């Protein structure tokens, strides 16, 4: 495994770097990146940005809002949060297997006296409270797995910047975000600053006392391409927010694989302007599934017939055709 040193704090650049690492770098080794963001809300690929954020608070505090390539839910980053990214070959055993990639982090925390465990779909918890959320993105024969580590974040900001929907509250019995998250720092046997924690984690994952020997240095051409990707995607309002058309109908369902939020209009008995939101994970972009449903009659038997010819598992993990039908017609 090699690693890319990244001390940039701009989330627009950092997400561009991740995308370039999975799509643009032609290397045989697995890649590790440890990085931080200045205060930012990072939105899941399939989420409706405006409904996930507390817009007034974010504008008042001048907090960045950037959409990532992977699915899952919105997360808050600040300088007390450490992010880790793995880029690896897209082996079948890796698909939707979050435990493989969280285990090195859990083992490293154990060395520091922190009893962390994998929990639920994609979380690491300490004493029942979340310290890390994880997500994945696939591109051709490669995959990106990335996660957060709440080391010494301002938990009050996490509470303020995100809107938690009724469906999540009902399904998880959430009383407050503040009561279900915690930082790593108070659980350490010996207090260390973030820089030292980052170095400990880097050495542990790379299994070396000399990480610089495994560093991959980006050349000028690669750095230029990352900057161009940042400018063309991650700096754009259209990517981070996007326009949400008006919908007549909104249907939601909490399935095993996450929240389904389907919005659409019906004209002359046919579906139009359909959009699928949610915090689910999947391989393929749901826009192609949306296209296949638009124009179909809004009748259960017709949609069921359409779904028979679609590989739903490519779009959603642990969400099946019955879940979609139930969401649309319940």
């Amino acid at each position: 495994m090699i690693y890319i040193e990244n001390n940039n704090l701009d989330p627009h650049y950092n997400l561009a770097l991740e995308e370039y690492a999975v799509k643009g770098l032609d290397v045989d080794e697995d890649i590790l990146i440890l990085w931080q963001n200045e205060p930012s809300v990072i939105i899941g690929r399939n989420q409706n940005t405006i409904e996930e954020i507390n817009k007034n608070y974010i504008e008042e505090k001048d907090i960045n809002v950037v959409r990532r390539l992977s699915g899952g839910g919105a997360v808050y980053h600040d300088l007390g949060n450490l992010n880790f990214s793995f880029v690896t070959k897209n082996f079948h055993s890796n698909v939707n297997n979050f435990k493989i990639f969280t285990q090195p982090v859990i083992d490293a925390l154990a060395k520091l006296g922190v009893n962390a465990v994998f929990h639920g779909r994609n979380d690491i918890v300490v004493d029942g409270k979340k310290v890390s959320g994880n997500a994945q993105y696939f591109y051709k024969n490669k995959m990106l797995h990335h996660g957060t580590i709440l080391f010494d974040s301002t938990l009050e900001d996490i509470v303020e910047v995100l809107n938690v929907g009724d469906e999540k509250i009902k399904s998880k019995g959430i009383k407050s975000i503040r009561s279900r998250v915690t930082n790593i720092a108070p659980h350490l046997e010996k207090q260390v600053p973030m820089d030292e924690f980052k170095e400990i984690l880097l050495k542990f994952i790379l299994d070396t006392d000399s990480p610089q020997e495994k560093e991959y240095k980006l050349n000028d051409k690669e750095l230029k391409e990352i900057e161009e990707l940042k400018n063309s995607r991650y700096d754009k309002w259209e990517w981070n927010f996007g326009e949400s058309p008006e919908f007549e109908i909104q249907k939601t369902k909490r399935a095993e694989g996450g929240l389904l939020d389907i919005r659409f209009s019906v004209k002359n008995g046919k579906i139009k302007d359909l959009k699928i939101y949610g915090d689910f994970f999947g391989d393929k972009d749901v826009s192609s599934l949306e296209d296949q449903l638009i124009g179909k009659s809004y009748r259960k038997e017709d949609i069921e017939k359409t779904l028979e010819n679609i590989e739903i598992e490519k779009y959603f993990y642990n969400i099946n055709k019955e879940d979609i039908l139930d969401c649309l017609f319940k």
Side-chain angles (χ1 to χ4, degrees):
M1 181 180 291
I2 58 176
Y3 91 100
I4 297 173
E5 178 77 20
N6 179 34
N7 295 312
N8 200 311
L9 302 178
D10 178 1
H12 307 87
Y13 176 88
N14 291 336
L15 291 175
L17 169 60
E18 273 196 324
E19 180 174 350
Y20 187 78
V22 74
K23 291 183 178 180
L25 280 185
D26 185 18
V27 295
D28 291 330
E29 297 98 332
D30 292 347
I31 301 169
L32 169 68
I33 312 172
L34 298 180
W35 49 287
Q36 293 169 269
N37 279 334
E38 61 192 18
S40 311
V41 177
I42 309 300
I43 303 292
R45 175 67 181 89
N46 304 301
Q47 293 189 296
N48 186 337
T49 301
I50 290 298
E51 295 187 1
E52 296 297 327
I53 62 173
N54 179 343
K55 190 168 181 289
N56 291 336
Y57 188 85
I58 281 172
E59 289 179 350
E60 177 188 334
K61 298 289 186 178
D62 196 25
I63 294 170
N64 298 288
V65 178
V66 192
R67 187 185 300 279
R68 64 179 186 266
L69 284 176
S70 61
V75 292
Y76 176 69
H77 293 175
D78 62 15
L79 295 180
N81 176 78
L82 181 63
N83 303 292
F84 60 93
S85 304
F86 294 103
V87 176
T88 186
K89 291 289 178 64
N90 183 3
F91 297 115
H92 181 72
S93 59
N94 290 339
V95 177
N96 201 29
N97 190 341
F98 292 89
K99 200 165 186 180
I100 290 176
F101 298 96
T102 55
Q103 195 60 49
V105 176
I106 290 170
D107 292 342
L109 291 174
K111 291 283 186 182
L112 296 169
V114 180
N115 182 25
V117 295
F118 183 77
H119 177 75
R121 282 195 304 160
N122 59 322
D123 295 341
I124 299 174
V125 301
V126 174
D127 292 342
K129 294 186 176 185
K130 179 176 176 178
V131 296
S132 172
N134 293 261
Q136 294 180 344
Y137 171 76
F138 300 88
Y139 179 77
K140 294 184 178 179
N141 68 332
K142 288 188 176 181
M143 67 165 288
L144 164 70
H145 178 108
H146 51 190
T148 59
I149 303 176
L150 291 173
F151 181 76
D152 192 22
S153 283
T154 305
L155 299 183
E156 289 72 21
D157 282 340
I158 298 176
V159 175
E160 294 294 339
V161 299
L162 300 176
N163 289 330
V164 180
D166 291 341
E167 284 288 335
K168 182 171 280 192
I169 291 171
K170 290 174 186 174
S171 69
K172 295 192 174 182
I174 297 168
K175 293 180 181 178
S176 73
I177 300 176
R178 183 67 176 84
S179 67
R180 66 187 181 98
V181 297
T182 188
N183 281 310
I184 289 293
H187 299 273
L188 295 172
E189 286 181 346
K190 175 189 173 186
Q191 292 302 304
V192 296
M194 170 65 91
D195 287 349
E196 188 174 336
F197 174 73
K198 181 179 176 181
E199 187 71 11
I200 291 169
L201 194 62
L202 181 65
K203 289 179 178 178
F204 185 89
I205 295 175
L206 294 177
D207 192 24
T208 179
D209 288 328
S210 303
Q212 63 274 12
E213 294 177 1
K214 296 191 175 185
E215 182 180 357
Y216 179 91
K217 290 187 180 294
L218 295 162
N219 60 41
D220 290 344
K221 178 178 177 292
E222 291 165 339
L223 290 169
K224 182 182 178 183
E225 290 177 357
I226 294 168
E227 194 66 30
E228 289 172 350
L229 182 56
K230 168 185 173 291
N231 295 337
S232 64
R233 188 197 297 278
Y234 295 100
D235 281 342
K236 297 288 189 182
W237 180 91
E238 290 80 5
W239 169 256
N240 295 321
F241 287 84
E243 293 190 60
S244 296
E246 294 293 330
F247 296 98
E248 297 172 0
I249 303 168
Q250 178 181 6
K251 300 279 192 174
T252 60
K253 175 182 173 64
R254 173 63 63 174
E256 182 183 351
L259 176 68
L260 272 176
D261 177 354
I262 306 179
R263 306 184 190 193
F264 56 99
S265 301
V266 176
K267 185 175 183 180
N268 298 327
K270 295 187 181 296
I271 294 173
K272 67 170 191 171
D273 300 329
L274 181 140
K275 184 71 179 172
I276 301 173
Y277 295 110
D279 61 359
F280 50 82
F281 299 106
D283 192 348
K284 294 183 68 174
D285 191 327
V286 292
S287 61
S288 61
L289 173 59
E290 295 164 353
D291 291 341
Q292 293 178 77
L293 294 176
I294 291 172
K296 299 295 188 295
S297 297
Y298 183 51
R299 297 196 309 169
K300 187 172 183 179
E301 52 267 38
D302 288 356
I303 300 302
E304 189 170 16
K305 187 175 180 180
T306 300
L307 293 177
E308 285 176 1
N309 300 315
I310 298 174
E311 294 181 290
I312 293 299
E313 65 276 6
K314 296 288 187 181
Y315 297 97
F316 311 98
Y317 297 139
N318 297 324
I319 294 178
N320 56 37
K321 295 173 185 178
E322 288 70 30
D323 291 324
I324 295 171
L325 290 169
D326 189 36
C327 182
L328 282 168
F329 296 100
K330 69 178 179 180

